[in-house]
Amino acid sequence: MPSDRYTGLAAVLGAIRNSADITQPLLVERVGLGRSVVAQRVAELEVAGLVVSDGFGPSTGGRAPRRLRLHAEAGYVLGADIATNELVVGVADLAGNLLDTRHRETDVVDGPDAVMGAVEEMAGELVEEVGAHRSLWSFGVGMPGPVAYDDGGPAAMPTMPEWSRHPTRQRLTDRFGVPVWMDNRTNLSALGERRVNPVAARSQHMVYLGGGYGIGAAVVVGGRIHRGAHGLAGAIDHVPVPGAADVVCRCGKTGCLEAVAGGAALARDGRLLAETGQSPALADVLGRTGRIRPGDVTEAAGSGDAAARALLNRAAVLLGRSLATLVNVFDPDLVVIGGGIARARAHVLAAIREEVHRSALPAVTRDLRIEPSAFDQEIAGITGAVEFALGELFSPEHLPTVLDARAGGTPDALVEERALPA
């Protein structure tokens, strides 16, 4: 268990990280520690090069207090957002500001060697570009399926059998020489949402529904991601949907939510609409490109295609019914709709809201807000991956290693802590 000293250091650093304009007197109010203790902790963080002065705040009668900020330029972190069919890798400073990203289409069924090879290549390019070789501090990775948070590896899944046996974390640690943390990408998208969306940041009880080719949910309880006993909470993609028992899911079972309402289901059913001539817009896309993607269904619906609109509405109703179960169980004050679902918000948001209010208990929906994600879904996961890496790095458990590294004048000491727990 972290000592009071490191708990206090982490609290002070966290308050500085999360405040654009903070002084030492304000820190005393925010973290609930005495003035002398806060002064000691600030001094330690300044000596370590993690905190620097940033001008002066307004005077209240005496000498103007110093403003403090995180020394964002002291180092870099990497992030990777691995979706079922695409991959985003980014590099950020210590404040979580994305400096550059790389995007590539991929397929997790190609296996971990192919996908992680692409991650290594893209991350290596970014490290080279920003000159982060000697100042790289950590790496956060979002996976397209559940992650067993207690041991830090992908959980065994019928849809990704090779991944559970692959030493993903160790491979990246060996390649980049920094601690690597992994989590479900939906959890990380929720973290990203809380970083950039003030409404989400204020919510203590939130459900984040993410969806691309798959579907996932993240649950925030008491202001923190609720991961369950093993880190597998929120996996609603393979819950059974009544009346869909004849639809085979990629997991091998039938009637799963993902199989009837996920992105892959939209692409499959959209292709059928194109091939049968029920959707002229999708038939045109299929003729030109030879394939149908979920985004094509959304674009067809936007152009007025009745069949595409009906397909999206059906998916929204099914999502709303499953979401109502989470609302009943966790009683959130906010539901955020993210991922590919958010891109189709004009066609699905009203139906999702209506179904949640119809299916959930009136007492839990009385003041419930159901809102689309507040930022670009292309960077939602990577923003969360970077925030995750920083949150773990500066946590009371791992901050001692960071401070030891800084005391040595170099972050190289982080390399010696390759076995840091998730």
Side-chain angles (χ1 to χ4, degrees):
M1 178 176 294
S3 68
D4 289 343
R5 175 191 167 211
Y6 287 114
T7 299
L9 281 165
V12 169
L13 183 58
I16 294 172
R17 283 182 64 214
N18 296 319
S19 302
D21 187 9
I22 194 164
T23 62
Q24 197 159 300
L26 286 174
L27 274 175
V28 173
E29 297 178 16
R30 297 275 178 90
V31 302
L33 298 174
R35 285 184 297 175
S36 62
V37 174
V38 169
Q40 291 172 359
R41 302 299 173 251
V42 168
E44 287 184 74
L45 293 170
E46 286 182 309
V47 168
L50 289 173
V51 169
V52 294
S53 295
D54 190 25
F56 294 91
S59 172
T60 58
R63 187 168 57 183
R66 290 185 303 143
R67 286 194 180 99
L68 300 168
R69 69 171 177 86
L70 181 71
H71 189 194
E73 305 84 357
Y76 304 90
V77 296
L78 287 167
D81 178 29
I82 305 172
T84 303
N85 65 326
E86 60 184 347
L87 168 65
V88 181
V89 178
V91 62
D93 63 22
L94 296 186
N97 301 309
L98 282 172
L99 305 176
D100 200 1
T101 60
R102 295 281 191 277
H103 180 276
R104 183 179 298 181
E105 289 191 4
T106 187
D107 195 331
V108 294
V109 301
D110 291 339
D113 281 328
V115 175
M116 296 315 300
V119 170
E120 291 175 331
E121 177 186 341
M122 296 161 71
E125 291 173 356
L126 291 170
V127 168
E128 183 72 28
E129 182 174 297
V130 302
H133 302 88
R134 301 286 296 175
S135 51
L136 189 63
W137 287 35
S138 65
F139 201 150
V141 181
M143 299 294 292
V147 172
Y149 196 71
D150 48 359
D151 66 15
M157 289 286 290
T159 56
M160 298 168 58
E162 297 177 49
W163 284 88
S164 62
R165 299 186 294 270
H166 189 265
T168 305
R169 291 181 71 207
Q170 190 61 52
R171 175 172 175 167
L172 291 176
T173 294
D174 290 342
R175 170 65 177 82
F176 295 100
V178 295
V180 176
W181 288 284
M182 294 170 54
D183 200 357
N184 184 303
R185 66 184 300 265
T186 306
N187 284 344
L188 300 192
S189 292
L191 283 179
E193 189 73 32
R194 288 174 63 79
R195 173 176 169 80
V196 304
N197 182 349
V199 175
R202 290 193 298 268
S203 174
Q204 293 294 297
H205 304 279
M206 180 183 91
V207 170
Y208 179 96
L209 181 68
Y213 269 71
I215 296 172
V219 179
V220 173
V221 176
R224 298 176 63 87
I225 297 290
H226 174 71
R227 293 185 170 90
H230 307 293
L232 309 181
I236 66 169
D237 41 352
H238 297 287
V239 299
V241 174
D246 59 334
V247 182
V248 179
C249 181
R250 63 194 179 104
C251 73
K253 297 182 180 180
T254 58
C256 297
L257 178 63
E258 179 182 300
V260 293
L266 289 177
R268 177 198 65 216
D269 295 343
R271 185 182 184 95
L272 180 61
L273 292 176
E275 292 174 341
T276 58
Q278 297 178 67
S279 170
L282 291 176
D284 178 65
V285 172
L286 183 62
R288 286 186 289 104
T289 68
R291 65 177 182 177
I292 297 294
R293 296 175 296 183
D296 297 325
V297 178
T298 300
E299 289 183 12
S303 70
D305 189 278
R309 287 186 171 182
L311 180 57
L312 285 176
N313 184 76
R314 176 176 177 272
V317 170
L318 294 175
L319 288 170
R321 288 175 186 169
S322 295
L323 187 55
T325 300
L326 290 183
V327 168
N328 279 338
V329 171
F330 290 103
D331 187 21
D333 54 30
L334 175 68
V335 171
V336 174
I337 308 298
I341 308 169
R343 298 188 183 105
R345 68 185 68 179
H347 310 288
V348 301
L349 190 58
I352 290 175
R353 284 176 175 152
E354 182 179 348
E355 196 59 39
V356 169
H357 282 274
R358 178 186 293 121
S359 302
L361 295 171
V364 299
T365 59
R366 184 175 58 249
D367 55 0
L368 175 67
R369 297 180 62 172
I370 303 176
E371 305 291 344
S373 174
F375 70 130
D376 185 355
Q377 293 307 295
E378 292 293 336
I379 61 169
I382 194 65
T383 300
V386 165
E387 181 65 18
F388 179 51
L390 290 168
E392 291 293 329
L393 190 68
F394 296 144
S395 68
E397 292 80 10
H398 302 141
L399 188 56
T401 301
V402 176
L403 295 178
D404 288 346
R406 299 302 293 173
T410 169
D412 287 353
L414 293 171
V415 178
E416 304 304 320
E417 295 294 329
R418 294 181 177 181
L420 283 173

